[in-house]
Amino acid sequence: MPHPPHQSLKVAVVPNPRVPVRAEDGPWHAEAVCRRDEAGLFFAPSKEPTAARLSREEAAKRVCARCPVMVACREHALLQPEPYGVWGGLTAAERRVVLARMRRRSAELRQTPGPGTIAAAG
């Protein structure tokens, strides 16, 4: 039996994307300056023109620059990893570059022989 229209509609409660909901993240987010700013500054609207996106991201980075928990926020965004928005003064694209460099560096360190290792002569 179908539900009446008013019962079939569900309202989704979407948590503020700037505030992590995981307990292991710790209390750093309570001190974040962005909690007092509009989330729209940190996340792109649909079909945002490039010039507007760059301007918005620069404004978000200025907010991040004065934030006392910027480093903790950046670490969170890199560890999760957060796929969207400006976190810790980095855009999603900038975080992807940082993560790629970290992976590359980690791979290089695994391949480098440690001190005292003698390479096989051949």
Side-chain angles (χ1 to χ4, degrees), residues 16-114:
N16 181 345
R18 298 299 302 167
V19 182
V21 294
R22 293 167 290 274
E24 67 269 13
D25 289 332
W28 66 266
H29 59 287
E31 302 299 319
V33 173
C34 64
R35 289 177 59 95
R36 295 180 288 278
D37 288 299
E38 214 174 290
L41 186 61
F42 297 91
F43 293 92
S46 162
K47 299 179 182 179
E48 182 178 35
T50 301
R53 177 182 54 81
L54 294 173
S55 176
R56 180 189 49 73
E57 288 174 344
E58 285 304 314
K61 288 178 179 187
R62 285 192 297 274
V63 172
C64 292
R66 68 177 199 267
C67 184
V69 295
M70 182 181 76
V71 173
C73 179
R74 182 178 295 179
E75 288 173 356
H76 161 83
L78 292 169
L79 288 172
Q80 284 310 310
E82 293 289 351
Y84 305 106
V86 175
W87 290 78
L90 296 177
T91 65
E94 291 166 337
R95 290 192 304 277
R96 284 191 295 273
V97 169
V98 170
L99 289 170
R101 286 180 182 161
M102 291 169 66
R103 283 189 297 270
R104 193 168 40 250
R105 179 70 177 139
S106 179
E108 289 170 358
L109 290 174
R110 283 192 304 271
Q111 293 175 354
T112 304

